[in-house]
Amino acid sequence: MNSEEEPPVLKVARETINKGDLAAFRAYLDAKPERLYIETPFGTWLHLAIMRGQPEIAKYLIARGLDVNANSGISESNAADFAASEGDLEMLQYVHEQGAIFDTSEPTKNPLFSAIVGGHVDVVRYLLEHGIDYSVRYNSETMTEMDALQFAEERGETECATIIREHSEAQKGG
């Protein structure tokens, strides 16, 4: 086996998540409980379950002890950012109820920016209603003092921009 081949045990786990086969995934973890903490290039098993739209597996993993705030995967983001990126409002609500924070330390970790990229207006609305800091400004090669409203406008996500603008005005009392 060359170094780029996926180990068979990881492939089996990934395939059970992709299929949404909770019983098979549970058996995979029961066989060796330390497998719960394996990280893939996409992140923890929780990140993968969220990306694949498998809420029952995601809930099982959280109940089993996976940290909703673990920064993992290519973007080094937590479960809230993954759910926002996928536009999965129910999962976002669930992980938030389970203690997931809205990490605004970097634009690539910010669930509001992820929701804007996907045009997920319901997710944008939820994040704003639940206290995400929409005014944090970022500087990078592609951003200069850019906040969520400017980001939405630059991306042409006018409905997201309108929601952010209205929320901002309501916060200011106007």
Side-chain angles (χ1 to χ4, degrees):
M1 174 167 94
N2 71 42
S3 62
E4 293 190 22
E5 280 185 64
E6 186 175 33
V9 69
L10 291 181
K11 184 176 182 182
V12 168
R14 184 178 43 79
E15 288 174 354
T16 62
I17 290 175
N18 288 344
K19 293 177 188 171
D21 189 343
L22 178 56
F25 191 74
R26 184 177 286 161
Y28 166 80
L29 291 182
D30 288 345
K32 291 190 177 182
E34 67 273 12
R35 290 176 175 166
L36 177 65
Y37 303 102
I38 290 174
E39 289 200 25
T40 75
F42 299 106
T44 67
W45 295 127
L46 175 59
H47 291 87
L48 190 59
I50 292 170
M51 285 174 44
R52 297 296 188 246
Q54 302 296 345
E56 294 309 313
I57 293 176
K59 290 175 183 179
Y60 168 74
L61 289 165
I62 293 167
R64 192 82 187 242
L66 275 186
D67 182 1
V68 294
N69 288 307
N71 289 325
S72 187
I74 297 167
S75 65
E76 286 292 314
S77 297
N78 71 15
D81 185 51
F82 270 69
S85 178
E86 295 298 317
D88 191 339
L89 180 58
E90 289 181 26
M91 183 52 60
L92 176 62
Q93 292 168 328
Y94 183 77
V95 298
H96 187 228
E97 289 167 2
Q98 300 304 309
I101 61 167
F102 300 147
D103 185 349
T104 59
S105 64
E106 299 173 36
T108 56
K109 293 181 178 185
N110 187 328
L112 182 55
F113 276 45
S114 294
I116 290 167
V117 167
H120 305 302
V121 296
D122 290 341
V123 171
V124 168
R125 192 172 283 112
Y126 178 86
L127 291 165
L128 292 170
E129 290 170 356
H130 289 85
I132 195 163
D133 185 354
Y134 58 90
S135 65
V136 65
R137 295 179 180 275
Y138 301 102
N139 290 297
S140 69
E141 289 180 24
T142 59
M143 298 180 188
T144 304
E145 288 297 305
M146 187 174 288
D147 65 12
L149 176 58
Q150 293 164 321
F151 184 69
E153 289 172 339
E154 182 171 295
R155 294 196 54 87
E157 293 294 341
T158 56
E159 194 171 356
C160 291
T162 298
I163 292 166
I164 296 165
R165 188 178 301 104
E166 289 172 354
H167 182 80
S168 174
E169 289 169 2
Q171 294 295 305
K172 293 175 185 171

